[in-house]
Amino acid sequence: ISDYGANHKRFWRISNYEKDDSFDVIFKVYAPYGKLVAEKTVTMIPIKKHFSGKFDILCIGDSMTRSVTYMEHIQNKLYRVNFKGTRSFNGILYHEGRGGWTLGKYLTSVGDDPSPFLFPVGVDNYYANMDFYNLTTHPSDNIYYFSGYYDYPKIQKGEVYCSKGCLYTYDGEKLSDNPEWEFNFSKYIKRHNIGHLDAVSFLFGANDMQISKYEETDAHVSQYIKNMNIMISSIREYDPDMKIIINMPIPGADQNAWGFKMCLGSEKRYNYNMMKLSEAIIENYSSDKNIFISPMAACIDRMYGFSSASRNANQYCEEKETFQSNWVHPNKTGYAQMGDALAAVIEKIRG
């Protein structure tokens, strides 16, 4: 219910709103026969584009961030948004996106595909994981996982590197068989010459909750919040006033896409998990003045925001039906809608 916009069959939408004033939208959910079961009033705040100054942002995420599509949309739509990180496929837009990764993997992965934020405890001159360095130098064996990383400068005397889980000096002397690692945002900024940042953005949930059973949901949501708090704490050690954006994870495609992909998950359970995770994000972070929640989950078109394909209706039928074909990854339209949600938050932070 609102004085503005239009309530369609599948969504409420507004466009060409030319006022500066905020306005309320009332959402009501009814059970059969008119019983009101839920009601919420949401204030819509129009955000104007900025046309001066630049905005430096680091986006951390999974395959949706690795695709860079929602970031490209933002870069084309907003004025001088500069994406930073250690990975880029065009030398312009950088990020920290890794396919198949969870939030927790950025806190734990130290093998030949290591988290860029992990550093050996007590070591201030860490160079790199040499096994990973060699794979990124020649990524043709697995382009998806090891392409797009910048060329490391050559290791310098006095620096320490990791190989096969052990730490070594520049001269090859072994320092530790089993080093302790820590998530250290300050060392990440320094080691990779990231420079100035206005905000850090997180987009996770798809891998964290994808096949979580109903009885596991609460525990997995709690672990997500625990992991997020560790990262936020480290970011604030680097800069107590850093703006942090947590994107609400988008829902998935319909059951047809899940059926074609796997039998381990389902549309209903996945979207329940995304809902519970989004609720936890709001509960834990909405009152923090330096944390902004991006409503990606509320902006994507679940019917036309995912790829589709034509298949035989059944094994004996020649007639074709169109099904959604990707269970969690949006198409270009869906990514653009995700980008719009994050773009609004960026402009809000700009002030």
Side-chain angles (χ1 to χ4, degrees):
I1 302 172
S2 176
D3 293 333
Y4 305 99
N7 187 19
H8 297 275
K9 181 178 180 180
R10 297 185 297 108
F11 51 80
W12 175 84
R13 175 180 291 166
I14 187 169
S15 58
N16 300 321
Y17 181 76
E18 297 180 355
K19 299 181 179 181
D20 295 331
D21 301 330
S22 61
F23 61 92
D24 290 340
V25 179
I26 302 172
F27 293 90
K28 293 185 177 182
V29 179
Y30 290 93
Y33 308 108
K35 182 180 179 181
L36 180 66
V37 295
E39 180 177 349
K40 180 74 174 180
T41 299
V42 178
T43 300
M44 300 293 177
I45 303 173
I47 302 295
K48 289 186 175 181
K49 285 186 181 181
H50 290 75
F51 295 97
S52 63
K54 67 181 181 71
F55 191 89
D56 296 320
I57 183 170
L58 168 67
C59 289
I60 307 170
D62 51 32
S63 55
M64 296 185 201
T65 298
R66 185 200 179 279
S67 78
V68 306
T69 312
Y70 72 85
M71 292 178 286
E72 287 178 334
H73 179 76
I74 294 171
Q75 206 166 50
N76 291 331
K77 197 164 189 176
L78 298 185
Y79 180 80
R80 293 190 68 188
V81 175
N82 183 30
F83 290 94
K84 294 193 170 185
T86 65
R87 198 173 193 186
S88 176
F89 304 116
N90 61 6
I92 300 172
L93 192 160
Y94 286 81
H95 60 92
E96 297 297 352
R98 288 157 177 76
W101 278 44
T102 62
L103 186 67
K105 194 166 182 180
Y106 280 92
L107 294 169
T108 59
S109 185
V110 294
D112 59 9
D113 191 9
S115 166
F117 303 99
L118 292 182
F119 292 82
V121 174
V123 176
D124 294 326
N125 55 344
Y126 181 64
Y127 172 70
N129 183 307
M130 198 63 75
D131 306 322
F132 173 71
Y133 170 80
N134 291 332
L135 288 167
T136 60
T137 305
H138 305 92
S140 58
D141 292 338
N142 198 327
I143 292 176
Y144 184 82
Y145 289 105
F146 299 113
S147 63
Y149 292 97
Y150 71 88
D151 292 333
Y152 277 59
K154 289 185 178 180
I155 187 170
Q156 302 296 311
K157 191 169 185 178
E159 291 185 319
V160 173
Y161 68 91
C162 178
S163 180
K164 309 302 181 186
C166 301
L167 282 185
Y168 297 89
T169 66
Y170 169 84
D171 298 317
E173 177 187 351
K174 184 184 288 187
L175 293 177
S176 174
D177 289 319
N178 188 25
E180 181 183 357
W181 299 84
E182 64 177 349
F183 185 98
N184 193 309
F185 194 78
S186 299
K187 288 183 177 180
Y188 164 82
I189 295 292
K190 180 180 179 181
R191 173 64 187 86
H192 300 293
N193 298 313
I194 299 299
H196 174 264
L197 283 177
D198 293 294
V200 179
S201 169
F202 293 96
L203 174 57
F204 289 95
N207 299 308
D208 309 73
M209 308 295 296
Q210 188 168 146
I211 57 174
S212 297
K213 299 176 182 177
Y214 288 115
E215 61 270 24
E216 299 171 336
T217 298
D218 288 346
H220 289 176
V221 167
S222 295
Q223 187 62 53
Y224 175 101
I225 298 299
K226 180 180 178 181
N227 291 339
M228 183 65 74
N229 287 340
I230 293 172
M231 293 185 175
I232 290 173
S233 177
S234 183
I235 291 170
R236 286 179 167 169
E237 286 179 8
Y238 168 72
D239 181 354
D241 297 319
M242 179 69 71
K243 302 299 185 287
I244 296 169
I245 303 169
I246 303 177
N247 297 278
M248 295 170 65
I250 64 170
D254 67 21
Q255 184 57 40
N256 286 314
W258 283 89
F260 285 117
K261 172 59 183 178
M262 62 173 73
C263 295
L264 295 175
S266 71
E267 172 195 9
K268 183 177 181 180
R269 192 173 70 190
Y270 181 78
N271 289 337
Y272 171 80
N273 289 337
M274 294 299 99
M275 179 189 71
K276 297 297 289 185
L277 182 54
S278 293
E279 288 176 350
I281 289 171
I282 293 171
E283 179 182 351
N284 282 272
Y285 303 114
S286 60
S287 61
D288 191 309
K289 67 181 180 67
N290 281 328
I291 297 181
F292 298 78
I293 299 174
S294 167
M296 283 187 179
C299 295
I300 192 166
D301 187 333
R302 290 196 58 216
M303 181 173 289
Y304 296 104
F306 292 87
S307 299
S308 59
S310 180
R311 296 183 174 90
N312 288 358
N314 62 57
Q315 60 182 333
Y316 303 112
C317 181
E318 296 299 321
E319 294 186 30
K320 301 288 186 179
E321 287 187 355
T322 299
F323 297 101
Q324 288 186 336
S325 56
N326 194 297
W327 71 115
V328 294
H329 302 97
N331 58 17
K332 189 173 182 179
T333 295
Y335 276 123
Q337 292 173 318
M338 293 166 64
D340 284 345
L342 180 54
V345 176
I346 289 173
E347 297 300 77
K348 173 67 175 177
I349 293 173
R350 274 178 158 173

mmCIF file of all heavy atoms in Angstrom, residues 15 27 64 68 84 87 96 126 163 175 187 213 217 265 274 278 340 347:
data_model
loop_
_atom_site.group_PDB
_atom_site.id
_atom_site.type_symbol
_atom_site.label_atom_id
_atom_site.label_comp_id
_atom_site.label_asym_id
_atom_site.label_seq_id
_atom_site.Cartn_x
_atom_site.Cartn_y
_atom_site.Cartn_z
ATOM 1 N N SER A 15 9.243 3.779 -10.540
ATOM 2 C CA SER A 15 10.233 4.361 -11.455
ATOM 3 C C SER A 15 9.837 5.810 -11.720
ATOM 4 O O SER A 15 8.673 6.209 -11.532
ATOM 5 C CB SER A 15 10.299 3.577 -12.775
ATOM 6 O OG SER A 15 9.024 3.548 -13.403
ATOM 7 N N PHE A 27 3.498 -3.113 3.664
ATOM 8 C CA PHE A 27 3.369 -4.473 3.150
ATOM 9 C C PHE A 27 2.482 -5.277 4.097
ATOM 10 O O PHE A 27 2.723 -5.310 5.309
ATOM 11 C CB PHE A 27 4.745 -5.131 3.035
ATOM 12 C CG PHE A 27 5.634 -4.506 1.996
ATOM 13 C CD1 PHE A 27 6.485 -3.454 2.324
ATOM 14 C CD2 PHE A 27 5.608 -4.941 0.684
ATOM 15 C CE1 PHE A 27 7.299 -2.865 1.372
ATOM 16 C CE2 PHE A 27 6.417 -4.363 -0.279
ATOM 17 C CZ PHE A 27 7.271 -3.324 0.060
ATOM 18 N N MET A 64 29.452 -15.082 -7.583
ATOM 19 C CA MET A 64 28.692 -13.933 -8.072
ATOM 20 C C MET A 64 29.571 -12.692 -8.131
ATOM 21 O O MET A 64 29.411 -11.842 -9.011
ATOM 22 C CB MET A 64 27.466 -13.697 -7.191
ATOM 23 C CG MET A 64 26.465 -14.831 -7.234
ATOM 24 S SD MET A 64 24.970 -14.463 -6.309
ATOM 25 C CE MET A 64 24.365 -16.135 -6.016
ATOM 26 N N VAL A 68 31.975 -10.547 -11.753
ATOM 27 C CA VAL A 68 32.146 -9.087 -11.844
ATOM 28 C C VAL A 68 30.961 -8.375 -12.506
ATOM 29 O O VAL A 68 30.990 -7.155 -12.683
ATOM 30 C CB VAL A 68 33.467 -8.661 -12.568
ATOM 31 C CG1 VAL A 68 34.666 -9.306 -11.939
ATOM 32 C CG2 VAL A 68 33.407 -8.929 -14.059
ATOM 33 N N LYS A 84 38.579 -2.296 -6.012
ATOM 34 C CA LYS A 84 39.939 -2.707 -5.678
ATOM 35 C C LYS A 84 39.982 -4.158 -5.232
ATOM 36 O O LYS A 84 38.968 -4.760 -4.891
ATOM 37 C CB LYS A 84 40.495 -1.797 -4.586
ATOM 38 C CG LYS A 84 40.688 -0.353 -5.047
ATOM 39 C CD LYS A 84 41.513 0.444 -4.068
ATOM 40 C CE LYS A 84 41.907 1.786 -4.643
ATOM 41 N NZ LYS A 84 42.826 2.528 -3.745
ATOM 42 N N ARG A 87 42.438 -9.373 -7.684
ATOM 43 C CA ARG A 87 42.067 -10.156 -8.854
ATOM 44 C C ARG A 87 41.327 -9.286 -9.873
ATOM 45 O O ARG A 87 40.420 -8.529 -9.519
ATOM 46 C CB ARG A 87 41.170 -11.324 -8.444
ATOM 47 C CG ARG A 87 41.070 -12.422 -9.474
ATOM 48 C CD ARG A 87 40.315 -13.627 -8.939
ATOM 49 N NE ARG A 87 40.489 -14.765 -9.820
ATOM 50 C CZ ARG A 87 39.865 -15.927 -9.672
ATOM 51 N NH1 ARG A 87 39.024 -16.117 -8.666
ATOM 52 N NH2 ARG A 87 40.099 -16.925 -10.515
ATOM 53 N N GLU A 96 37.745 -9.368 -4.859
ATOM 54 C CA GLU A 96 38.125 -10.597 -4.170
ATOM 55 C C GLU A 96 36.953 -11.576 -4.292
ATOM 56 O O GLU A 96 36.209 -11.827 -3.352
ATOM 57 C CB GLU A 96 38.466 -10.336 -2.698
ATOM 58 C CG GLU A 96 39.655 -9.426 -2.455
ATOM 59 C CD GLU A 96 40.971 -9.963 -2.984
ATOM 60 O OE1 GLU A 96 41.012 -11.130 -3.423
ATOM 61 O OE2 GLU A 96 41.966 -9.212 -2.981
ATOM 62 N N TYR A 126 55.776 -11.304 5.247
ATOM 63 C CA TYR A 126 55.281 -12.454 4.483
ATOM 64 C C TYR A 126 55.169 -12.091 3.009
ATOM 65 O O TYR A 126 54.612 -11.046 2.646
ATOM 66 C CB TYR A 126 53.929 -12.887 5.026
ATOM 67 C CG TYR A 126 53.342 -14.090 4.319
ATOM 68 C CD1 TYR A 126 53.982 -15.325 4.370
ATOM 69 C CD2 TYR A 126 52.155 -13.989 3.610
ATOM 70 C CE1 TYR A 126 53.446 -16.428 3.729
ATOM 71 C CE2 TYR A 126 51.613 -15.081 2.972
ATOM 72 C CZ TYR A 126 52.262 -16.308 3.030
ATOM 73 O OH TYR A 126 51.728 -17.396 2.387
ATOM 74 N N SER A 163 55.142 -22.859 1.430
ATOM 75 C CA SER A 163 55.077 -23.913 0.417
ATOM 76 C C SER A 163 54.762 -25.234 1.106
ATOM 77 O O SER A 163 55.390 -25.561 2.123
ATOM 78 C CB SER A 163 56.401 -24.007 -0.348
ATOM 79 O OG SER A 163 56.332 -25.033 -1.325
ATOM 80 N N LEU A 175 61.210 -22.413 8.627
ATOM 81 C CA LEU A 175 60.912 -21.732 9.872
ATOM 82 C C LEU A 175 59.861 -22.468 10.695
ATOM 83 O O LEU A 175 59.897 -22.445 11.924
ATOM 84 C CB LEU A 175 60.413 -20.309 9.603
ATOM 85 C CG LEU A 175 61.405 -19.321 9.016
ATOM 86 C CD1 LEU A 175 60.721 -17.985 8.749
ATOM 87 C CD2 LEU A 175 62.582 -19.126 9.968
ATOM 88 N N LYS A 187 47.393 -6.143 7.245
ATOM 89 C CA LYS A 187 48.485 -6.721 6.465
ATOM 90 C C LYS A 187 48.073 -6.930 5.010
ATOM 91 O O LYS A 187 48.899 -6.780 4.097
ATOM 92 C CB LYS A 187 48.938 -8.044 7.092
ATOM 93 C CG LYS A 187 49.693 -7.870 8.403
ATOM 94 C CD LYS A 187 50.179 -9.215 8.939
ATOM 95 C CE LYS A 187 50.992 -9.030 10.224
ATOM 96 N NZ LYS A 187 51.484 -10.320 10.767
ATOM 97 N N LYS A 213 20.492 -28.415 5.663
ATOM 98 C CA LYS A 213 19.199 -28.997 6.009
ATOM 99 C C LYS A 213 18.496 -28.085 7.001
ATOM 100 O O LYS A 213 19.121 -27.278 7.688
ATOM 101 C CB LYS A 213 19.400 -30.393 6.605
ATOM 102 C CG LYS A 213 20.061 -31.368 5.644
ATOM 103 C CD LYS A 213 20.328 -32.704 6.325
ATOM 104 C CE LYS A 213 21.044 -33.658 5.367
ATOM 105 N NZ LYS A 213 21.374 -34.948 6.017
ATOM 106 N N THR A 217 20.131 -25.162 9.741
ATOM 107 C CA THR A 217 20.088 -23.756 9.342
ATOM 108 C C THR A 217 20.553 -22.818 10.442
ATOM 109 O O THR A 217 21.413 -21.958 10.224
ATOM 110 C CB THR A 217 18.666 -23.369 8.890
ATOM 111 O OG1 THR A 217 18.300 -24.155 7.746
ATOM 112 C CG2 THR A 217 18.598 -21.894 8.529
ATOM 113 N N GLY A 265 19.615 -30.208 -2.854
ATOM 114 C CA GLY A 265 18.946 -29.015 -2.378
ATOM 115 C C GLY A 265 17.598 -28.846 -3.041
ATOM 116 O O GLY A 265 17.193 -29.622 -3.905
ATOM 117 N N MET A 274 18.034 -18.594 2.892
ATOM 118 C CA MET A 274 18.380 -17.212 2.554
ATOM 119 C C MET A 274 17.572 -16.226 3.403
ATOM 120 O O MET A 274 18.087 -15.177 3.830
ATOM 121 C CB MET A 274 18.128 -16.946 1.071
ATOM 122 C CG MET A 274 19.021 -17.735 0.125
ATOM 123 S SD MET A 274 20.795 -17.390 0.309
ATOM 124 C CE MET A 274 21.277 -18.797 1.314
ATOM 125 N N SER A 278 19.189 -13.599 5.994
ATOM 126 C CA SER A 278 18.895 -12.171 5.853
ATOM 127 C C SER A 278 18.335 -11.599 7.150
ATOM 128 O O SER A 278 18.685 -10.481 7.551
ATOM 129 C CB SER A 278 17.901 -11.947 4.699
ATOM 130 O OG SER A 278 18.494 -12.265 3.458
ATOM 131 N N ASP A 340 22.048 -2.440 -8.894
ATOM 132 C CA ASP A 340 21.257 -1.265 -8.522
ATOM 133 C C ASP A 340 21.137 -1.147 -7.003
ATOM 134 O O ASP A 340 21.221 -0.048 -6.444
ATOM 135 C CB ASP A 340 19.862 -1.343 -9.147
ATOM 136 C CG ASP A 340 19.861 -1.012 -10.631
ATOM 137 O OD1 ASP A 340 20.857 -0.453 -11.124
ATOM 138 O OD2 ASP A 340 18.850 -1.313 -11.301
ATOM 139 N N GLU A 347 25.868 5.328 -3.072
ATOM 140 C CA GLU A 347 25.521 6.742 -3.142
ATOM 141 C C GLU A 347 25.035 7.273 -1.798
ATOM 142 O O GLU A 347 25.252 8.437 -1.460
ATOM 143 C CB GLU A 347 24.465 6.971 -4.223
ATOM 144 C CG GLU A 347 24.930 6.623 -5.634
ATOM 145 C CD GLU A 347 26.137 7.447 -6.067
ATOM 146 O OE1 GLU A 347 27.270 7.142 -5.613
ATOM 147 O OE2 GLU A 347 25.956 8.386 -6.859
#
